[in-house]
């Protein structure tokens, strides 16, 4: 196949490119190489063709689509987007960029898209109340967070809740600027599919970590933030009580999921969302502790502080991806985190 990978010089995109090249595909990369992401020019796979351009540039996108069979859309501005001054930049890079890409694909007759979505579209993950059954808790109140009450209560009876696996049919509840733009990307892609008869697989990544994670930028994930602290000789600082459950999935498994998704025929005229996780729930405190132990310390400090827009628990069920194209994560948490402790971070 001849595949265009937007954002193919980035953390996840570069691993996707490597996997596609190894599988014998012809790969073209479209990446703006934004300084906020790449402080130095990144190395890309020599077998891939690199076009340095922004996905909002219609003429460049159209040229990059020449001869392409499918698009793997990884380009995005990531992070919470807690500062509303950044809202126009998020909407431009994520939503306008996606709209330009989809319009160009329609004009060029490219009908297969794999979209990098995110677990942030769910807001909080799945929860069950012992009395009221499955529930969707509302926003956590600042007064509760200030008092160290981090677990969301049942919205019906106020009882403590049990975290459960979130599935793709859960309601979308974006709670940050970034999350809102990822929901908009899915909606735009679904509208494109309905009009063109194209197919879209929206891969809702959970907490991706591994080699080439960016460091010391707004694009740095929690694992990278902890690693940077350890390199400076500082303890990782863990928000809340460290008990936030996440699904940390290794980037090699995510890249393999993209390879499978690009080969899956999809459903003409539809967008199919698929969770891409590890199947191993771990707390943020677990990630900090295992990294610190592998790095040789210092051990984490639990701060009790919190960030507006953070959710308490979100853990994936990846059963649908397994059923669709036999997605099977292979990198165990302990193996991946121990290796990551020794990997060089990307500047």
């Amino acid at each position: 196949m001849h595949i265009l990978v937007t954002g193919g010089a980035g953390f996840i995109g570069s691993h996707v490119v490597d996997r596609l090249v190894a599988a014998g595909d012809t790969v073209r990369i479209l990446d703006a190489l934004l300084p906020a992401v790449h402080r130095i020019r990144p190395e890309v796979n020599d077998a891939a063709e690199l076009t340095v351009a922004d996905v909002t540039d219609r003429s460049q996108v159209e040229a990059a689509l020449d001869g392409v069979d499918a698009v793997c859309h990884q380009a995005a501005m990531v992070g919470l987007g807690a500062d509303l001054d950044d809202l126009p930049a998020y909407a431009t890079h994520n939503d306008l960029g996606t709209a330009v890409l989809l319009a160009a694909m329609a004009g060029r007759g490219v009908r297969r898209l794999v979209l990098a979505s995110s677990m942030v579209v769910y807001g909080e993950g799945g929860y069950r109340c012992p009395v009221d059954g499955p529930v969707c808790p509302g926003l956590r109140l600042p007064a509760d967070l200030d008092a160290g009450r981090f677990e969301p209560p049942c919205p019906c009876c106020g009882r403590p809740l049990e975290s459960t696996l979130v599935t793709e049919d859960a309601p979308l509840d974006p709670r940050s600027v970034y999350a809102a733009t990822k929901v908009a990307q899915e909606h735009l892609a679904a509208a494109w599919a309905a009009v063109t008869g194209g197919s879209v697989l929206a891969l809702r990544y959970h907490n991706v970590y591994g080699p080439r994670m960016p460091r010391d930028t707004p694009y740095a994930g929690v694992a990278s933030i902890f690693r940077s602290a350890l390199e400076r000789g500082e303890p990782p600082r863990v928000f809340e009580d460290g008990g936030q459950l996440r699904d940390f999935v290794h980037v090699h498994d995510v890249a393999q999921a993209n390879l499978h998704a690009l080969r899956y025929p999809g459903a003409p005229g539809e967008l199919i969302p698929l969770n891409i996780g590890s199947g191993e729930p771990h707390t943020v405190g677990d990630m900090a502790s295992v990294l610190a132990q592998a790095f040789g310390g210092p051990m984490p400090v639990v701060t009790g502080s919190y960030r507006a827009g953070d959710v308490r628990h979100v853990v994936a069920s990846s059963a649908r991806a397994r059923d669709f194209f036999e997605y099977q994560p292979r990198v165990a948490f302990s193996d991946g985190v121990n290796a990551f402790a020794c990997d060089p971070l990307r500047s």
Side-chain angles (χ1 to χ4, degrees):
M1 294 176 68
H2 190 166
I3 299 168
L4 173 65
V5 182
T6 69
F11 166 43
I12 297 174
S14 65
H15 285 280
V16 173
V17 168
D18 289 348
R19 194 58 56 94
L20 293 173
V21 167
D25 293 310
T26 301
V27 181
R28 181 177 295 141
I29 298 168
L30 180 74
D31 199 301
L33 301 185
L34 295 175
V37 188
H38 307 285
R39 296 189 176 185
I40 60 174
R41 188 179 178 91
E43 296 182 6
V44 298
N45 194 301
D46 290 338
E49 174 191 346
L50 172 63
T51 297
V52 179
D54 198 290
V55 74
T56 61
D57 187 328
R58 176 69 178 263
S59 62
Q60 291 280 7
V61 172
E62 288 179 343
L65 286 168
D66 187 36
V68 162
D69 300 308
V71 174
C72 186
H73 185 30
Q74 304 292 322
M77 185 174 177
V78 303
L80 270 179
D83 187 344
L84 293 184
D85 286 342
D86 293 334
L87 202 159
Y90 275 88
T92 297
H93 288 293
N94 297 359
D95 299 336
L96 176 60
T98 299
V100 170
L101 174 66
L102 293 170
M105 289 175 66
R108 289 290 180 135
V110 181
R111 297 291 184 263
R112 181 175 295 185
L113 174 66
V114 173
L115 172 67
S117 188
S118 172
M119 55 88 176
V120 297
V121 301
Y122 299 117
E124 289 283 354
Y127 289 88
R128 175 178 290 277
C129 173
V131 174
D132 298 298
V135 295
C136 297
L139 293 172
R140 296 184 293 170
L141 300 176
D144 287 336
L145 297 171
D146 289 337
R149 295 188 293 269
F150 300 118
E151 295 289 341
C154 176
C156 302
C157 68
R159 287 180 170 82
L161 298 174
E162 173 193 0
S163 172
T164 61
L165 300 181
V166 65
T167 57
E168 292 86 352
D169 57 357
L172 304 186
D173 184 17
R175 298 191 178 187
S176 68
V177 168
Y178 172 59
T181 64
K182 298 310 284 187
V183 170
Q185 281 187 317
E186 288 197 16
H187 287 169
L188 288 167
W192 168 86
V195 172
T196 64
S199 64
V200 185
L201 292 186
L203 305 187
R204 292 176 178 167
Y205 303 153
H206 284 249
N207 287 70
V208 187
Y209 74 98
R212 305 178 197 162
M213 283 191 84
R215 60 178 298 165
D216 306 325
T217 78
Y219 284 68
V222 66
S224 177
I225 293 169
F226 291 160
R227 258 291 309 275
S228 291
L230 290 165
E231 284 189 331
R232 295 191 301 268
E234 300 171 3
R237 296 179 63 80
V238 181
F239 286 124
E240 302 185 17
D241 60 0
Q244 310 93 302
L245 280 171
R246 296 291 186 269
D247 189 329
F248 294 101
V249 58
H250 197 274
V251 69
H252 289 168
D253 289 327
V254 172
Q256 187 66 26
N258 277 273
L259 177 68
H260 288 317
L262 285 161
R263 279 152 172 73
Y264 185 79
E270 293 185 22
L271 178 145
I272 300 172
L274 299 169
N275 285 332
I276 302 298
S278 71
E280 296 183 47
H282 290 276
T283 67
V284 173
D286 289 339
M287 169 61 82
S289 295
V290 174
L291 264 178
Q293 289 169 0
F295 202 83
M299 295 306 291
V301 171
V302 177
T303 67
S305 59
Y306 62 90
R307 297 187 302 175
D310 271 347
V311 297
R312 181 61 178 175
H313 304 305
V314 55
V315 180
S317 168
S318 298
R320 180 184 285 184
R322 183 180 64 244
D323 293 343
F324 270 68
F325 47 67
E326 299 182 352
Y327 168 68
Q328 182 61 52
R330 302 192 181 280
V331 182
F333 178 78
S334 58
D335 295 337
V337 176
N338 276 279
F340 178 63
C342 303
D343 284 331
L345 292 174
R346 175 178 280 190
S347 297

